Amino acid sequence: IGMGGIQTAEDAIEMILAGATAVSVGTANFYHPHATEEIVDGIRAYMERYQVEDIRELIGDLTLAKLQNIFNSIIKRQENKVGDGFIR
C-alpha cells in the first residue's frame, strides 16, 4: 500500500509504478475534501492518455529500462537549458 504524502494523481501513480497495489490518501482530505475524487480522475486521465486499459498494467511497471529513459530525458532537458533558465 502506497502511503504518505499522496496529494495528487501524480503522487498516486508514482506509488503504483513503484509496486503499490493500493494507495491511501490521508491528510490531503482534511484541507481539500475532494482530493480523493480528483486523484481518481487524474489516474483515469493518465490511463486514457497512455492508453492503459487496466490499472494492474501499471503496478510495478517502473522497470530499469524505463528509469534509464527517464534519466536520459532529464539529462537531455538539462543540456538544452540556456542562460535564462528556460528549457528550449
Side-chain angles (χ1 to χ4, degrees):
I1 297 174
M3 299 176 72
I6 297 176
Q7 300 179 31
T8 66
E10 290 81 11
D11 297 332
I13 292 166
E14 286 176 3
M15 293 284 192
I16 294 166
L17 289 172
T21 57
V23 295
S24 176
V25 181
T27 305
N29 288 308
F30 289 112
Y31 63 84
H32 185 61
H34 299 285
T36 300
E37 294 169 32
E38 291 178 6
I39 290 169
V40 170
D41 291 342
I43 293 171
R44 189 175 292 120
Y46 177 91
M47 291 175 63
E48 288 174 9
R49 178 178 183 184
Y50 293 101
Q51 300 172 347
V52 177
E53 293 188 26
D54 188 324
I55 197 164
R56 290 176 289 191
E57 296 174 39
L58 298 176
I59 297 170
D61 198 39
L62 194 55
T63 62
L64 183 58
K66 288 186 181 184
L67 284 173
Q68 187 64 45
N69 288 337
I70 292 168
F71 177 75
N72 289 337
S73 175
I74 291 169
I75 296 298
K76 184 179 260 187
R77 281 186 281 170
Q78 292 295 323
E79 291 172 351
N80 290 331
K81 279 191 174 181
V82 294
D84 60 7
F86 289 100
I87 298 173
R88 304 269 187 243

